[in-house]
Amino acid sequence: MSYNTREKWTHRLHEIIFEADTKAGKTFDVILIFSIVVSVLVVMLDSVAEYRAMYGDWFYSIEWFFTILFTVEYFLRIISVKKPSGYIFSFYGLVDLFSILPTYISILLPGSQYFLVIRILRVLRVFRVLKFTQYLIEVNQLQKALASSRRKITVFIFTVVTITVIVGSLMYVIEGTENGFTSIPKGIYWAIVTLTTVGYGDISPQTNLGQMLSAVIMIMGYGIIAVPTGIVTVELSRAQPKGRSTEVCRYCSREGHDSDAEYCKYCGGKLNA
Amino acid sequence: MSYNTREKWTHRLHEIIFEADTKAGKTFDVILIFSIVVSVLVVMLDSVAEYRAMYGDWFYSIEWFFTILFTVEYFLRIISVKKPSGYIFSFYGLVDLFSILPTYISILLPGSQYFLVIRILRVLRVFRVLKFTQYLIEVNQLQKALASSRRKITVFIFTVVTITVIVGSLMYVIEGTENGFTSIPKGIYWAIVTLTTVGYGDISPQTNLGQMLSAVIMIMGYGIIAVPTGIVTVELSRAQPKGRSTEVCRYCSREGHDSDAEYCKYCGGKLNA
Amino acid sequence: MSYNTREKWTHRLHEIIFEADTKAGKTFDVILIFSIVVSVLVVMLDSVAEYRAMYGDWFYSIEWFFTILFTVEYFLRIISVKKPSGYIFSFYGLVDLFSILPTYISILLPGSQYFLVIRILRVLRVFRVLKFTQYLIEVNQLQKALASSRRKITVFIFTVVTITVIVGSLMYVIEGTENGFTSIPKGIYWAIVTLTTVGYGDISPQTNLGQMLSAVIMIMGYGIIAVPTGIVTVELSRAQPKGRSTEVCRYCSREGHDSDAEYCKYCGGKLNA
Amino acid sequence: MSYNTREKWTHRLHEIIFEADTKAGKTFDVILIFSIVVSVLVVMLDSVAEYRAMYGDWFYSIEWFFTILFTVEYFLRIISVKKPSGYIFSFYGLVDLFSILPTYISILLPGSQYFLVIRILRVLRVFRVLKFTQYLIEVNQLQKALASSRRKITVFIFTVVTITVIVGSLMYVIEGTENGFTSIPKGIYWAIVTLTTVGYGDISPQTNLGQMLSAVIMIMGYGIIAVPTGIVTVELSRAQPKGRSTEVCRYCSREGHDSDAEYCKYCGGKLNA
């Protein structure tokens, strides 16, 4: 195989595996998503004792089928990229590796049942495919909004952690070990469960003073939960253009027209003319 | 009955049953809503053991009264539309059918108690009437806002599912069967209960590591719950024209102009002239 | 006492009791709020068995002191208004009456312990005073925003009720009596507890299918909780003017200037000149 | 040491301790944050019975090390400021004092275990350092948004408290002592737990009427939780200038111009000239 043929061949392979513009690339993506979903379902069902007892052998066979399939795919990816190390140490490269490695290790180290759970990371592989779809714009807008609210959310989380540390310590003193607040970390855990309005009820205040303080925290939690929502909403509304076109009127040179406008709303001149 | 008389008669019937413009149509709607609400209440109360023991016979009679009433209404609907098959296989046509069928089947198959629950779908019939009321605009605005946020919400739900799959598997490994995390699906169920801040407390982390991870998930949940709220808020504020004048162009009769517009943006005609 | 003197005297009384412009009126309001808060606290503490055992006599005396005070106030209000029946049957007139009546009835009907709870409605009287304070604008803005979102929220609640009716019935069939879903109303109660993310955990799904359906409901609840938030946010942002002045430039006649602008941002002409 | 030397020396000290512009100041801040975090972690872990049993002596030594360090820092702060009393009675001055005092008192009053928890207030000291970082703008924006929504949130909390008082009393009557609603304050505690969607489940309605009322409260809670979110979102979107250019006027050096401005709105000077 001449260098050129190989070059052409890996280029074609790259197009199929990494992109979704061609028909073959799209077919590959559909098969890949289907394989990922099925293999993740098998990992999940295999953890249910009764299903493993009944269908354990089937699960074992299916698991090996997909592991070999993903292994072949992994090496095809390495071959088809120009700089293999770039792919191998990328986020998705590592996810791909961790998706197949545990199955092989399980032969060498029998009984490493919990280790096999790492295969669940396969579910992350679906995101790669998502990137090529029509959802790309939505993914980008959401990422952009979250990225620009990153610093505000950091300040917010920092404040929440401080509140829970102080409130958790206070409740540890008020309620004490006999009511389940056995230590400050336990009190902080309770404070987080309460402030986020999860409220398991595994630990709950029993004393009058404790219940009064909790009530205050919960009403505070109301206001606190409003803050990240406000931050993300503002960023999202900025990430999203307001349906205005950027067109400038040829006659009066003013802009700010709606995207469905046909005439300039200031001078009546024809737009798009 | 001549064809014309029949035509006129079904047209009149259609007006009463399907529309709400005439006085008879409005009366029909009020009676229908009342019948639906009462019959749904009967289905609900009939499921309470003590009430069935006491008023079972009454419930039985009322149920048959409404079933026959709805059956008559069903056939009148079929007769009054131009294309019966179009109605029968429409969403509301099927709901209408499922609202009456179970009662008849219960004679043929005695003991099919759970089957009767399907009648609860009657509650959906109220929405049809809602459409004719002054709430139509609100229904449309909300539907429009949800429809345009559909793709962002899909990406969001996809991300949430991925997070819960990974977190649920992790907790299955950390907490183990002895603390109620008997399988990965159970762990995922716990992760969803926690991330959505429902927090039943039927399964809750017992180990220190598990509680630490939960705390992180809950604080993450704070930020995550902000995303759909942000998406819907932005879409709602777009669905609702802001600062638009209600003026209609004298030349092309179209509206939706900005309050600072001087010329119609569709035909270029002078506004306010 | 001549008619004129009486007229003047009741007018002065009205000013003190119903308004807050004069110094006497403000003093009256402060004393009133203090009395309301103390008497409500006494009603609350009196319901705690141990406190009643210890301070029952004190509570009894304080209760009578405030009841007589509020009774005097009630008759002064009746005297001072022009049309007593208008006040007596108004919302606040009825609240005032229900605040004092139970104490008197308790002498006639001993043992009517639960009846005395009606006195807690006194807490509503504080709102009347709030109306005269600097919070009036905030109260109005919030009321306006809620009023304009009233119809959207009605549609929303209607949808939520429909979902909970269907989901609750489905869970009644899936989980059955043995897992706590003893009737359809109980199932609906569970569905509301879950969809609103309260999640007591007094009833929680035990079967695999039930837990799967719950998980779907919870993730749906995510999106659903976003809707009222979006509605209220949009209405609030409309109720609140954007900090723009309505001034028009004298030179180029354009508006949209910030409220702190001194020169026209389009032509540089002096504003407010 | 001459007055001038002392002056210069305290000025340099002030720069290092209170500011973050110099390299020494930044180093000081990093060491301080590290010390605070470690000492807070020690206080937390010391409250866990098993860790205290194992590493109690280590914790004791580390605690004294940091107490002495913070004491030195405290006195350096007093020396370096122009007006010591201003610092001592400021918020952070008191936090600094409460961070070290309990350790000293624990020698005088052995067994005052719970008293030591006050040291957890050290966590607040981190906020002082945060002020010097790049997060200052975010902190300010969030504070500004919360400050301007202060009055609306007060009205809101006032309304929520009123609702919980009435609903809590009602549930006390409906459910009664046998279902855990032992007093009105307990009923109010339950109402707050429910309305904020925390839902521990330690107290939950058992009667049919109680569950119906709860369901209504929860659906109301939906709408209620929307209000603070709406308030904060609107304020945040106002705190954040939208579509403003970052241009500074060449004539009056002021900024905050709209992106479509051509002339400075303060002095009328041409922008972009």
Side-chain angles (χ1 to χ4, degrees), chain A residues 151-152 158 162 165 169 173 184-185 190 194 197-201 204-205 211 218 222 226 229-231 234-235 238, chain D residues 44 47 113 117 120 126-127 134 138 141 186 189 193 195-200 202 224-225 229 233 236 240-241:
Chain A
R151 293 173 68 172
K152 274 207 194 63
F158 192 85
T162 307
V165 166
S169 308
V173 175
I184 293 182
W190 169 87
T194 300
T197 79
V198 171
Y200 287 132
S204 66
Q211 293 186 342
M218 286 171 210
Y222 246 151
T229 308
I231 295 169
V234 170
E235 291 303 336
R238 298 179 84 183
Chain D
M44 278 167 57
S47 75
Q113 185 198 342
V117 168
I120 209 87
V126 177
F127 274 96
Q134 69 269 45
E138 273 76 24
Q141 277 187 357
K186 198 70 82 188
Y189 166 70
V193 167
L195 206 63
T196 55
T197 78
V198 171
Y200 285 133
D202 51 351
I224 288 172
I225 214 167
T229 308
T233 304
L236 267 175
Q240 207 157 342

Side-chain angles (χ1 to χ4, degrees), chain D:
Chain D
M1 193 154 63
S2 76
Y3 178 81
N4 259 356
T5 320
R6 194 193 136 90
E7 177 73 352
K8 225 170 155 183
W9 184 76
T10 57
H11 183 262
R12 171 93 181 110
L13 200 64
H14 187 272
E15 222 173 53
I16 293 171
I17 298 181
F18 284 90
E19 277 157 61
D21 299 331
T22 58
K23 198 160 175 294
K26 274 180 193 156
T27 312
F28 178 84
D29 282 350
V30 170
I31 295 171
L32 187 60
I33 286 196
F34 178 80
S35 306
I36 294 168
V37 169
V38 171
S39 74
V40 165
L41 279 178
V42 167
V43 172
M44 278 167 57
L45 293 178
D46 190 41
S47 75
V48 184
E50 48 183 318
Y51 293 157
R52 189 168 44 230
M54 285 162 70
Y55 312 108
D57 293 343
W58 274 100
F59 291 157
Y60 189 78
S61 310
I62 298 171
E63 177 53 38
W64 272 107
F65 173 75
F66 283 117
T67 301
I68 289 162
L69 198 78
F70 291 154
T71 309
V72 171
E73 183 214 342
Y74 182 65
F75 283 107
L76 286 181
R77 280 182 191 271
I78 290 179
I79 291 166
S80 69
V81 290
K82 294 246 170 187
K83 211 185 141 219
S85 68
Y87 160 68
I88 292 171
F89 297 105
S90 71
F91 175 70
Y92 282 119
L94 290 172
V95 167
D96 289 350
L97 186 62
F98 285 127
S99 298
I100 50 174
L101 220 56
T103 318
Y104 292 109
I105 292 175
S106 71
I107 319 177
L108 305 173
L109 297 163
S112 57
Q113 185 198 342
Y114 283 144
F115 197 68
L116 283 166
V117 168
I118 294 173
R119 295 173 306 178
I120 209 87
L121 288 177
R122 281 175 194 165
V123 78
L124 286 172
R125 307 183 71 210
V126 177
F127 274 96
R128 172 158 49 196
V129 183
L130 199 74
K131 279 206 175 162
F132 297 119
T133 64
Q134 69 269 45
Y135 290 99
L136 183 59
I137 301 167
E138 273 76 24
V139 173
N140 281 349
Q141 277 187 357
L142 286 175
Q143 276 178 347
K144 202 178 148 195
L146 287 177
S148 25
S149 41
R150 204 189 52 244
R151 294 173 68 171
K152 273 209 196 63
I153 293 218
T154 305
V155 171
F156 169 75
I157 286 178
F158 192 86
T159 313
V160 165
V161 168
T162 306
I163 293 174
T164 53
V165 166
I166 293 176
V167 168
S169 308
L170 215 58
M171 288 298 279
Y172 161 67
V173 175
I174 293 173
E175 292 281 329
T177 308
E178 64 275 18
N179 291 330
F181 293 78
T182 52
S183 65
I184 293 181
K186 198 70 82 188
I188 294 171
Y189 166 70
W190 169 86
I192 294 175
V193 167
T194 300
L195 206 63
T196 55
T197 78
V198 171
Y200 285 133
D202 51 351
I203 313 173
S204 66
Q206 303 299 327
T207 65
N208 287 342
L209 190 58
Q211 292 187 342
M212 272 175 67
L213 183 61
S214 305
V216 172
I217 302 303
M218 286 171 211
I219 290 181
M220 258 179 61
Y222 246 151
I224 288 172
I225 214 167
V227 175
T229 308
I231 294 169
V232 173
T233 304
V234 170
E235 290 303 334
L236 267 175
S237 78
R238 297 178 84 185
Q240 207 157 342
K242 189 186 266 175
R244 297 267 166 150
S245 79
T246 55
E247 197 181 3
V248 180
C249 173
R250 284 198 318 159
Y251 302 97
C252 71
S253 303
R254 293 176 66 181
E255 37 187 342
H257 306 295
D258 283 0
S259 43
D260 62 344
E262 282 160 34
Y263 291 90
C264 172
K265 64 180 179 176
Y266 297 111
C267 73
K270 191 99 183 70
L271 293 174
N272 305 312

Side-chain angles (χ1 to χ4, degrees), chain B residues 5-22:
Chain B
T5 319
R6 192 193 138 90
E7 177 72 355
K8 229 172 155 182
W9 184 76
T10 57
H11 183 261
R12 171 92 181 112
L13 200 65
H14 186 273
E15 222 174 53
I16 293 171
I17 297 181
F18 283 91
E19 276 158 61
D21 299 331
T22 59

